[in-house]
Amino acid sequence: MTTMTLPPGPSLPRFAQGAVVLTARLRGMRRMRARYGDAFTVNVPIFGRAVVISDPDEAKQLFTASTDLVENVRPNLGRVLGPGSLFALTGEEHREQRRLLVPPFHGRRLAAHERTIEDETVRETATWPEDRAFPALPSMLRITLNAILRAVFGADGDELADLREMLPAWVAYGSRLLVLPIPKTDLGRWSPWGRLWIARRRYDAIVDRLIDKAAAEDLDRRDDVLALLLQSRYDDGSPMSRAQIADHLLSLLVAGHETTATTLAWAIERLRRHPALLRDLAEEADAGGGALREATITEVQRTRPVIDVVGRHVTADGYRLGRWTLPEGCTVLVAVALMHEDEALFPDPLTFDPSRFLGVRPDLYQWIPFGGGRRRCPGAAFATMEMNVVLRTVLRHFTLMPTTEPGERRHSRGVANAPAKGGVAVVRRRSPEAMPPSTIGTAGARP
């Protein structure tokens, strides 16, 4: 028999460890790392006994392990998003579906969405007050939602309005049901899952209308992800079903909406506390550059990762992970925040310093805001482009006022760790004369 070896960890009851997770997860993980080292075992609600790791070599081994050894963490969002979502799929089926989803988020297809995102940013920021503090997060949530609905769903008109109205509340509600058992009988609107399923049927009907509209057009002339999914084919030549397309679209929205918006709110929060960097970024945006802006976004994701753990589920008994031998059914959680604070990986890690990424691409097994390996977020390139365009547009249209106030604390919104005050901004609108010529008004999209 294989002897199982787990790292040491606290002996507190599960409910007490769960309370730490709910109230002070990052602080608790830092204390456990200081006491037990870069791997420790916890016993928490939802996952039970889980191994937390932050060694980059062990993380890389986990992310690249065969699906015969590890799979996606359980429970996961697949319970809510549908059996065809990438969260729910495993093994060869996951690989095949991912192969069809990745192409829309690269190259020419990706660049085609920049104007959509810029237009949404200009439209939303036109409502921003001047010289008065306001939280940036609600605006960023609206920008990223509208951008995904247009660029991914290809939605406009009534369908855009319906999805914009229903999806944020539906996703937030669904995320709260993840740990509840799914009933065998549909109890209708009188049960939590029943209410979710009723809303899901409404969503499926809207996607059906979008598919009907797209099918009546020349798909080759469209750049949205829905059109590309309709054109995609499996190895045997068969197309995706409507149910699969609906699940994938919803998964892409959940993966890229709130997380991207929250990172942008953190960018606002960080930049206001670094006036020299803010000035350099504004000058770069006016000159048409982007290297410092890209490095800044990368550093925001390192210092303020909105998802602080990513997990896997061990499917083979006696899985050897680095120094440890883990039993079947064990959950392994990679502590993203702890890796990003590792002095050996990022010197002076608690200092916000985008220059560390100027001309340097981060190691994707050490810098992991999008997860890693086969389950790395397929929309990572889209999210990065979106953050870049939104920040560039804000810098070109506004002067973001610095502050000497302390940095905002982290606040868990369930899905993402957000600035506690929403990323408070104070802005002044730039005059048209002070704006770069390329940003001044065409087709009513720009002021």
Side-chain angles (χ1 to χ4, degrees):
M1 295 180 61
T2 302
T3 302
M4 303 300 165
T5 55
L6 300 178
S11 58
L12 293 171
R14 179 181 294 189
F15 76 89
Q17 295 189 43
V20 173
V21 170
L22 289 174
T23 60
R25 184 163 60 234
L26 179 56
R27 186 163 66 248
M29 287 196 300
R30 285 169 173 165
R31 288 176 176 173
M32 283 185 276
R33 179 182 59 184
R35 180 171 181 178
Y36 301 110
D38 58 19
F40 45 87
T41 301
V42 296
N43 189 7
V44 294
I46 303 178
F47 298 121
R49 192 168 297 279
V51 173
V52 181
I53 62 173
S54 58
D55 177 271
D57 292 331
E58 291 175 350
K60 181 176 182 178
Q61 180 189 343
L62 181 71
F63 286 146
T64 57
S66 164
T67 54
D68 294 333
L69 300 175
V70 298
E71 263 297 350
N72 196 22
V73 68
R74 303 172 189 171
N76 60 59
L77 285 167
R79 307 175 85 225
V80 173
L81 302 179
S85 77
L86 284 182
F87 292 96
L89 296 176
T90 60
E92 182 61 23
E93 191 175 10
H94 174 269
R95 186 200 66 79
E96 178 69 6
Q97 295 286 341
R98 184 181 174 88
R99 180 183 67 81
L100 298 178
L101 277 176
V102 169
F105 295 108
H106 290 279
R108 180 187 64 81
R109 300 286 190 180
L110 191 65
H113 302 308
E114 288 195 20
R115 179 58 184 266
T116 296
I117 295 165
E118 184 174 359
D119 288 349
E120 289 297 339
T121 306
V122 170
R123 183 177 295 109
E124 172 64 30
T125 58
T127 66
W128 282 6
E130 293 190 70
D131 293 316
R132 179 161 58 86
F134 65 94
L137 181 57
S139 280
M140 298 306 176
L141 286 167
R142 286 188 287 269
I143 291 169
T144 58
L145 176 63
N146 290 339
I148 288 176
L149 291 180
R150 292 177 61 189
V152 175
F153 286 68
D156 58 12
D158 292 341
E159 289 77 25
L160 176 62
D162 289 346
L163 290 169
R164 189 162 46 199
E165 180 270 327
M166 71 162 294
L167 280 177
W170 186 89
V171 171
Y173 181 64
S175 67
R176 293 196 290 269
L177 299 183
L178 281 178
V179 298
L180 296 182
I182 300 176
K184 296 181 179 179
T185 303
D186 186 351
L187 301 177
R189 65 178 66 254
W190 303 110
S191 70
W193 283 100
R195 291 197 296 273
L196 188 80
W197 289 331
I198 289 170
R200 174 58 194 252
R201 288 193 287 271
R202 180 186 170 196
Y203 163 80
D204 288 338
I206 298 171
V207 172
D208 274 341
R209 298 204 308 267
L210 289 173
I211 291 175
D212 289 339
K213 283 186 173 183
E217 299 179 13
D218 182 356
L219 294 178
D220 289 332
R221 298 177 63 86
R222 293 176 50 147
D223 289 306
D224 55 90
V225 174
L226 170 59
L228 297 176
L229 294 182
L230 288 170
Q231 294 174 294
S232 65
R233 294 293 182 270
Y234 296 111
D235 291 339
D236 63 3
S238 62
M240 280 190 187
S241 68
R242 290 191 174 213
Q244 288 172 322
I245 289 174
D247 286 353
H248 285 322
L249 293 177
L250 193 56
S251 299
L252 291 171
L253 180 136
V254 168
H257 164 42
E258 184 167 354
T259 51
T260 303
T262 305
T263 300
L264 284 164
W266 275 120
I268 297 293
E269 188 273 347
R270 291 288 81 199
L271 291 180
R272 292 193 63 214
R273 288 154 179 84
H274 295 83
L277 172 62
L278 184 56
R279 182 175 59 253
D280 291 344
L281 285 167
E283 292 175 355
E284 179 190 62
D286 286 353
L292 180 59
R293 186 170 62 251
E294 293 171 5
T296 298
I297 292 169
T298 302
E299 180 72 343
V300 170
Q301 292 173 290
R302 184 191 71 82
T303 58
R304 296 296 187 274
V306 299
I307 306 296
D308 54 15
V309 294
V310 294
R312 296 291 187 269
H313 179 84
V314 176
T315 56
D317 200 32
Y319 169 54
R320 182 75 178 179
L321 176 62
R323 301 157 285 175
W324 320 106
T325 304
L326 310 181
E328 182 179 359
C330 181
T331 295
V332 184
L333 301 175
V334 181
V336 177
L338 295 186
M339 285 185 63
H340 288 188
E341 293 178 359
D342 188 337
E343 178 81 33
L345 304 178
F346 304 102
D348 196 12
L350 299 184
T351 297
F352 183 74
D353 180 17
S355 68
R356 72 175 82 235
F357 292 115
L358 275 174
V360 177
R361 290 187 178 274
D363 185 311
L364 297 184
Y365 293 106
Q366 300 176 1
W367 176 87
I368 51 174
F370 296 111
R374 295 174 180 86
R375 291 192 173 272
R376 188 172 189 265
C377 176
F382 181 90
T384 300
M385 178 273 292
E386 186 175 18
M387 290 185 283
N388 196 332
V389 172
V390 172
L391 186 55
R392 179 188 69 196
T393 306
V394 169
L395 291 168
R396 285 177 168 178
H397 287 79
F398 295 91
T399 298
L400 186 61
M401 306 306 294
T403 182
T404 57
E405 294 182 0
E408 295 183 36
R409 295 178 179 273
R410 293 172 173 85
H411 168 71
S412 175
R413 288 171 51 91
V415 175
N417 292 310
K421 298 179 181 179
V424 174
V426 177
V427 300
R428 291 177 185 166
R429 191 175 302 277
R430 299 177 65 180
S431 66
E433 294 77 15
M435 294 163 58
S438 62
T439 69
I440 300 176
T442 59
R446 299 177 175 87

